[in-house]
């Protein structure tokens, strides 16, 4: 694991985006194309804002989407398809993209697209409960499916309310379609951009424990190419 601690979320975003862009350029130079997985949530704002300004031949990049609520319409403010369209897809013109549309019937076609070739870079957020994608604790580390339907736990729902996406936890959908922990680990390189004070405990738990489904992000530490970007606040509870 390569640990980077930047002063602010903006600096964190710039550094995480710069590394992402350099890996995409390398993949394009090696193979003629690149494949990228994007996560969403408030934690990815600064990274995506910096990433769209990077010098990458986006016409050679295919994007995959990490997770989406089951049956949430794209017009809802919390829709992650809406998020990616507004913050990424409207700013760069890609070779192709594959959004998770919230309909479990789409899982086989999404999986078929994903399995066509390895993903070069995964930008994988870490939640307040240390979830990766919507794999809440205890996460399923065993399934070899690419996407599964998961139930969201209360802590996860509270985070979504805290970030302002929903008014109450009762408004948060009960389920999501999530890329699995195993599939995330198949990315050739994983970059986690994790700013803000609300993540300090999840970060400290992730760094101080061995791999356990009870702290899903601990799995990322076993990846040979894992870069974790923190800011001063998210790093504030790491043990000396
Ligand atoms: N569905 C998103 C994921 O794509 C993201 O990786 C993760 C952490 O992000 P954040 O803490 O910013 O919500 O959980 C979110 O809810």
């Amino acid at each position: 694991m390569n640990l980077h601690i930047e002063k602010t979320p903006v600096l964190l975003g710039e550094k995480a985006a710069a590394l992402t862009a350099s890996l995409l350029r390398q993949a394009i130079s090696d193979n003629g194309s690149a494949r990228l997985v994007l996560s969403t949530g408030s934690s990815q704002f600064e990274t995506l804002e910096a990433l769209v300004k990077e010098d990458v031949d986006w016409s050679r990049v295919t994007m995959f989407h990490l997770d989406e609520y089951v049956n949430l319409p794209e017009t809802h403010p919390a829709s992650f398809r809406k998020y990616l369209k507004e913050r990424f897809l409207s700013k760069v013109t890609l070779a192709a993209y594959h959004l998770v549309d919230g309909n479990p019937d789409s899982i086989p076609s999404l999986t078929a697209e994903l399995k066509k070739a390895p993903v070069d870079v995964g930008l994988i957020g870490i939640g307040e409960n240390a979830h990766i994608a919507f794999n809440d604790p205890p996460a399923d580390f065993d399934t070899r499916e690419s996407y599964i339907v998961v139930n969201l736990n209360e802590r996860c729902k509270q985070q979504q309310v805290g970030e302002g996406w929903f008014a109450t936890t009762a408004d948060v959908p009960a389920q999501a379609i999530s890329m699995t922990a195993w599939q995330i680990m198949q990315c050739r390189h994983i970059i986690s951009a994790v700013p803000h004070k609300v993540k300090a405990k999840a970060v400290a738990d992730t760094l101080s424990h061995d791999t356990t489904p009870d702290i899903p992000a601990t799995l990322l530490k076993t990846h040979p190419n894992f870069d974790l970007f923190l800011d001063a606040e998210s790093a504030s509870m790491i043990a000396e």
Side-chain angles (χ1 to χ4, degrees), residues 104-122:
D105 293 343
S106 306
I107 289 178
S109 58
L110 270 176
T111 302
E113 284 298 338
L114 191 60
K115 284 187 179 296
K116 281 182 181 168
V119 168
D120 297 291
V121 191

Side-chain angles (χ1 to χ4, degrees), residues 39-44 66-67 80 124-127 131 133-134 159-160 163 199:
S39 59
T40 51
S42 307
S43 61
Q44 306 303 302
L66 192 68
D67 52 2
F80 293 127
I124 309 298
I126 297 176
H131 72 191
F134 267 130
Q159 174 182 340
Q160 308 311 327
E163 289 183 8
K199 298 293 174 67

Side-chain angles (χ1 to χ4, degrees), residues 32-141:
S33 61
R35 289 156 77 82
L36 170 70
V37 169
L38 289 186
S39 59
T40 51
S42 307
S43 61
Q44 306 303 302
F45 286 169
E46 293 84 5
T47 301
L48 290 181
E49 198 175 333
L51 185 59
V52 295
K53 295 181 193 143
E54 285 286 340
D55 181 17
V56 172
D57 182 354
W58 294 108
S59 71
R60 293 177 181 271
V61 176
T62 295
M63 187 212 82
F64 292 88
H65 177 187
L66 192 68
D67 52 2
E68 178 61 289
Y69 299 105
V70 168
N71 289 336
L72 191 73
E74 196 181 311
T75 48
H76 191 287
S79 159
F80 293 127
R81 285 109 80 204
K82 175 179 157 72
Y83 174 117
L84 285 174
K85 284 186 179 173
E86 289 177 356
R87 295 177 179 274
F88 188 69
L89 296 168
S90 62
K91 318 250 180 196
V92 294
T93 303
L94 301 181
Y97 58 87
H98 303 283
L99 292 168
V100 180
D101 66 4
N103 179 351
D105 293 343
S106 306
I107 289 178
S109 58
L110 270 176
T111 302
E113 284 298 338
L114 191 60
K115 284 187 179 296
K116 281 182 181 168
V119 168
D120 297 291
V121 191
L123 277 177
I124 309 298
I126 297 176
E128 290 173 27
N129 63 1
H131 72 191
I132 47 175
F134 267 130
N135 299 292
D136 286 332
D140 183 345
F141 283 178

Side-chain angles (χ1 to χ4, degrees), residues 158-172:
Q158 281 159 11
Q159 174 182 340
Q160 308 311 327
V161 172
E163 289 183 8
W165 303 107
F166 298 94
T168 71
T169 54
D171 297 317
V172 183

